[in-house]
Amino acid sequence: MNEALLRSLTPSVLGILVRRGADFAAAEDAVQDALVEAVRVWPADPPRDPKGWLVTVAWRRFLDATRADAARRRREDLVDEEPAPGPTPAVDDTLQLYFLCAHPSLTPSSAVALTLRAVGGLTTRQIAQAYLVPEATMAQRISRAKRTVSDVRFDQPGDVATVLRVLYLVFNEGYSGDVDLAAEAIRLTRQLATVIDHPEAAGLLALMLIHHARRASRTAPDGSLVPLAEQDRGRWDTESIAEGIGILQTALARDRLGEFQAQAAIAALHADAPTTEETDWVQIVEWYDELTRLTDNPVVRLNRAVAVGEADGPRAGLAALAALDDSLPRHAAVAAYLHERDGDLATAARLYAEAAHKAPNLAERDHLTRQAARLNTHR
């Protein structure tokens, strides 16, 4: 069973059902039912036209659900509209579905969860694991989101800023999670940047390209994390980096700075440095100051503390860190790194162990555990 094929067909099939009159929530349920049926049937009897098969089965499942609630639908009209057998036109509805899922009536977290479920093809369990919440909690969140958008017209555009935020978070989920959505997020952001005049769309595309260019070097053959300072820069995709920097420079020239452009500028400075030692940390701190002004995000301040520690020394970084809430994600890991740079190996080892206990995923936990063990061995 080709799960990648099913995932790639999901947005188009969902879009067809919605355009034919199905409300979003019912269409999403029908498509999920069709995917389950495909998993059951296709291994023994693969269809000649997978997309057409999914459309037909999903539409029939929608009709079955509709007949159980006749007061909400006109049964005879829907039956007349059943798609005819045969090849289905290739229409990419994915970006349009992102706008629907990113409707302003949804919170950003609900919009991302709904998008991952309805468009990205992730299971509720996978999304719950990404958010570090119980599966039942995530199921309720997604159900509420579907109810919220069920009456929204399919041609009613969502908020561009929210779509950009969703694409950014989907990219991050694909970049670090078990299901690879990063390339799809880049494709959609590239598509969005060509159809709207928005500097932040260009900034987001640049940020994605530069981050994605370093992906091959982020993990060792055994799956363990490789910190930026230890990555083989010869494995970075220089063409993607150059494209991202070019897109960023064009966006910055418009003098309409936004957070994605600022983040991309920081990523570009890392990518442009031949070695870690040659990184322009002073300029990175300046960009973090801009980013802090734009977002006032505590995670940005946490990352800024690392940059200050590199530019002005570990004690300056620890002073910047002292102003932040120590309950922030990865606060202990940053503190451990700065204490190690300052020569306090005992404190660093303790903080690495503490950070490992709080790590959001197995790879990060193993990396931090090894850091603690390394320092304990050398003490």
Side-chain angles (χ1 to χ4, degrees), residues 47-368:
R48 288 192 298 271
D49 177 17
K51 181 179 174 182
W53 189 97
L54 286 172
V55 170
T56 299
V57 172
W59 187 257
R60 287 174 180 167
R61 292 301 173 92
F62 170 65
L63 290 180
D64 289 342
T66 298
R67 291 187 181 104
D69 191 8
R72 293 193 304 115
R73 300 289 178 193
R74 298 192 307 271
R75 185 181 319 176
E76 295 78 6
D77 290 345
L78 291 174
V79 171
D80 289 342
E81 293 176 12
E82 180 173 349
T88 305
V91 178
D92 186 354
D93 296 298
T94 309
L95 192 57
Q96 193 172 13
L97 288 169
Y98 267 68
F99 271 91
L100 181 60
C101 291
H103 194 266
S105 59
L106 295 174
T107 64
S109 61
S110 293
V112 175
L114 180 62
T115 304
L116 290 173
R117 181 70 179 91
V119 187
L122 273 69
T123 66
T124 302
R125 175 172 295 180
Q126 287 171 316
I127 301 169
Q129 289 172 344
Y131 275 84
L132 303 178
V133 300
E135 184 176 353
T137 299
M138 182 54 64
Q140 292 174 354
R141 184 181 300 178
I142 293 172
S143 294
R144 286 195 298 269
K146 288 196 292 186
R147 286 196 299 271
T148 299
V149 300
S150 61
D151 295 328
V152 175
R153 297 193 312 276
F154 190 65
D155 60 351
Q156 180 178 346
D159 178 65
V160 172
T162 304
V163 171
L164 291 172
R165 173 64 53 186
V166 171
L167 285 167
Y168 172 67
L169 293 172
V170 169
F171 173 82
N172 286 339
E173 174 61 24
Y175 195 63
S176 60
D178 294 332
V179 178
D180 184 2
L181 296 174
E184 176 68 355
I186 291 172
R187 183 184 74 83
L188 292 172
T189 304
R190 190 188 296 279
Q191 187 182 115
L192 182 62
T194 63
V195 298
I196 65 169
D197 182 25
H198 199 301
E200 276 292 80
L204 178 57
L205 178 58
L207 176 64
M208 289 179 174
L209 287 170
I210 296 169
H211 275 318
H212 202 58
R214 303 200 303 253
R215 185 173 188 180
S217 63
R218 291 181 71 246
T219 55
D222 62 0
S224 59
L225 292 180
V226 179
L228 177 63
E230 300 172 19
Q231 289 176 15
D232 179 0
R233 298 183 181 222
R235 300 183 65 196
W236 290 1
D237 182 349
T238 55
E239 290 186 6
S240 291
I241 291 173
E243 181 188 4
I245 291 175
I247 292 170
L248 173 63
Q249 289 173 338
T250 301
L252 290 175
R254 300 179 64 179
D255 198 24
R256 290 170 55 193
L257 184 64
E259 64 171 296
F260 293 129
Q261 294 170 70
Q263 286 191 53
I266 293 168
L269 287 166
H270 283 298
D272 209 30
T275 65
T276 302
E277 293 72 24
E278 296 174 85
T279 302
D280 189 344
W281 288 106
V282 172
Q283 193 174 168
I284 287 176
V285 171
E286 292 173 354
W287 275 111
Y288 270 120
D289 289 339
E290 289 286 350
L291 194 52
T292 300
R293 180 181 60 80
L294 290 166
T295 68
D296 196 28
N297 186 317
V299 176
V300 170
R301 294 180 182 274
L302 185 70
N303 292 330
R304 179 184 178 277
V306 176
V308 169
E310 299 290 351
D312 301 326
R315 294 197 177 181
L318 287 168
L321 188 66
L324 303 177
D325 187 343
D326 62 10
S327 67
L328 278 172
R330 298 184 172 89
H331 184 285
V334 170
Y337 174 75
L338 292 170
H339 277 290
E340 181 183 358
R341 289 275 321 281
D342 195 38
D344 187 351
L345 302 189
T347 300
R350 176 180 58 79
L351 288 169
Y352 275 130
E354 178 185 329
H357 181 70
K358 298 176 180 178
N361 57 65
L362 182 60
E364 189 169 335
R365 186 188 71 189
D366 289 346
H367 170 72
L368 292 167

